[in-house]
Amino acid sequence: QVQVVESGGGLVQAGGSLGLSCTASDSTTVSFVMAWFRQAPGKDREFVAATSWNGGSTYYADSVKGRFTISRVNSKNTVYLRMNSLKPEDTAVYYCTAKLAPVLTTARDYHRWGQGTQVAVSA
């Protein structure tokens, strides 16, 4: 089964930027929806962004729309999340995941998860 590995988290001040990467173990994900979720302490895992198999369609949670950008490079089996204008409430563990179409925004609909990468935004 394909595996995904996230990288790029860290600590940043409010208003700053970070970029996350997620690389799949093989090329089967080129036909998959790729998505980012996040989970803050004590909260449910929530949808952040998703991209269709070719990057032609992208979807964002209202809370990150206009600040975050999801993209993918299928030749590298990699999806990216560029996060700008970060806020303390963006602090969470960010997870990459993949599934066959269609795009869904509920964590229970995804079954391939990475280990997550921590993003911390200080006020």
Side-chain angles (χ1 to χ4, degrees):
Q1 186 172 349
V2 66
Q3 296 181 332
V4 293
V5 179
E6 305 94 337
S7 61
L11 173 64
V12 65
Q13 290 187 328
S17 298
L18 276 177
L20 305 182
S21 299
C22 169
T23 300
S25 58
D26 61 57
S27 61
T28 56
T29 55
V30 297
S31 60
F32 285 16
V33 167
M34 298 294 294
W36 289 94
F37 283 72
R38 66 186 181 187
Q39 189 166 18
K43 295 189 176 181
D44 293 335
R45 193 167 297 189
E46 66 173 2
F47 173 76
V48 174
T51 175
S52 61
W53 73 274
N54 63 353
S57 297
T58 55
Y59 309 82
Y60 297 95
D62 287 343
S63 59
V64 307
K65 202 171 294 183
R67 300 187 298 122
F68 290 13
T69 302
I70 188 170
S71 61
R72 65 190 297 167
V73 178
N74 282 344
S75 62
K76 297 183 177 180
N77 302 332
T78 299
V79 63
Y80 304 94
L81 186 68
R82 182 64 182 175
M83 304 182 294
N84 296 326
S85 303
L86 282 160
K87 305 175 181 180
E89 51 264 43
D90 294 317
T91 295
V93 177
Y94 283 69
Y95 295 91
C96 176
T97 185
K99 66 179 296 293
L100 293 170
V103 171
L104 297 173
T105 60
T106 304
R108 64 174 180 268
D109 292 311
Y110 293 79
H111 304 289
R112 300 172 178 86
W113 295 94
Q115 82 288 349
T117 185
Q118 177 71 54
V119 171
V121 184
S122 62

